[in-house]
Amino acid sequence: MPRPELTHPYVAARQAASIIMLRQVNSELQVYVQHRATTMDFAAGAVVFPGGRTDAEDALFDFGDEVQPILRQHARGWQRTSLGSAIPGRSVKNAAMMLRTGLREVEEETGVALKPDIMRPWANLITPVGYPKRFDTFFYLATPDDDVMPENITTEATAADWHSIESILHGDEAKKIALMRPTKFLLLDIVEAGSIQALLARDPVVNPIRGL
């Protein structure tokens, strides 16, 4: 997609979560993506991953004791991002807030209640200064079981389904679909790895990325 005009000297970045639901069919990597409605005021018409902005209620959600080990792992994964903190316990609370954001958004948009233990901190992309809307977006890689069947139940998208990464990239190159730069960057990175096994073997600590 073409970059919008850089007309705003400073707009604060809002925190958001986006979920890359990934599966492997034989040797083909597939992701679940949405086709955003052309009436949306952000990323209109683009092919995107499910997700959305953090709500105030997300910071109040209690996952319970059984999820605390997962939240500590997530806090380590996000330690170099804006979710990290030197204040004891704060980074775990921030990780819980963002995990809740991601799980809530996926359920609202696809009807699927993903389990926390399949959610892996994956990337943190921050919109550069100069855009009318900016996001500090935390991407998760999720590998749901085969019986998980997401559906398009949001008015923000006209369609949604599983597609091979190769077909999405080819559609963008042929100008049949529109990809935002962060989406394309993440898809190219995933397809280069070649397998879910190779992806999950990566260092879990995320480094923020700016400038895309």
Side-chain angles (χ1 to χ4, degrees):
M1 297 183 69
R3 286 183 183 272
E5 292 283 335
L6 300 183
T7 56
H8 293 66
Y10 182 77
V11 174
R14 298 192 62 177
Q15 289 182 324
S18 187
I19 315 304
I20 307 170
M21 286 194 282
L22 179 71
R23 70 183 185 184
Q24 189 164 343
V25 180
N26 298 321
S27 61
E28 182 179 78
L29 289 174
Q30 299 181 348
V31 288
Y32 185 84
V33 290
Q34 303 169 326
H35 293 256
R36 295 266 292 178
T38 56
T39 54
M40 299 300 295
D41 63 354
F42 178 76
V47 171
V48 300
F49 307 117
R53 292 174 292 190
T54 297
D55 291 339
E57 293 80 5
D58 294 327
L60 305 176
F61 187 83
D62 184 2
F63 279 101
D65 293 341
E66 68 278 4
V67 182
Q68 293 307 306
I70 295 171
L71 294 177
R72 288 192 290 271
Q73 292 174 1
H74 285 199
R76 178 173 177 267
W78 299 127
Q79 63 184 288
R80 296 175 183 169
T81 73
S82 62
L83 298 181
S85 175
I87 301 173
R90 178 67 59 82
S91 58
V92 173
K93 289 182 180 179
N94 290 343
M97 174 191 67
M98 196 52 59
L99 178 60
R100 173 58 182 167
T101 300
L103 295 175
R104 174 183 55 75
E105 285 287 338
V106 166
E107 188 163 11
E108 289 175 356
E109 296 181 358
T110 73
V112 168
L114 295 178
K115 297 178 181 179
D117 62 355
I118 69 165
M119 302 280 283
R120 178 186 174 95
W122 193 251
N124 173 219
L125 276 66
I126 305 165
T127 310
V129 173
Y131 288 86
K133 285 192 175 184
R134 298 181 63 232
F135 294 96
D136 184 3
T137 307
F138 298 85
F139 291 84
Y140 292 87
L141 189 71
T143 51
D145 294 333
D146 293 340
D147 60 352
V148 173
M149 305 291 288
E151 298 181 36
N152 183 42
I153 60 172
T154 175
T155 58
E156 295 179 0
T158 57
D161 208 344
W162 292 96
H163 294 279
S164 73
I165 296 178
E166 294 282 6
S167 69
I168 297 171
L169 293 172
H170 182 268
D172 175 65
E173 180 135 355
K175 301 190 183 307
K176 293 181 179 179
I177 62 171
L179 289 181
M180 300 177 70
R181 285 175 175 79
T183 307
K184 185 173 183 178
F185 172 84
L186 292 168
L187 289 175
L188 286 169
D189 179 57
I190 290 170
V191 77
E192 185 177 350
S195 70
I196 290 178
Q197 183 178 9
L199 290 164
L200 297 182
R202 286 187 178 179
D203 184 346
V205 177
V206 172
N207 289 302
I209 298 173
R210 296 174 174 83
L212 285 179

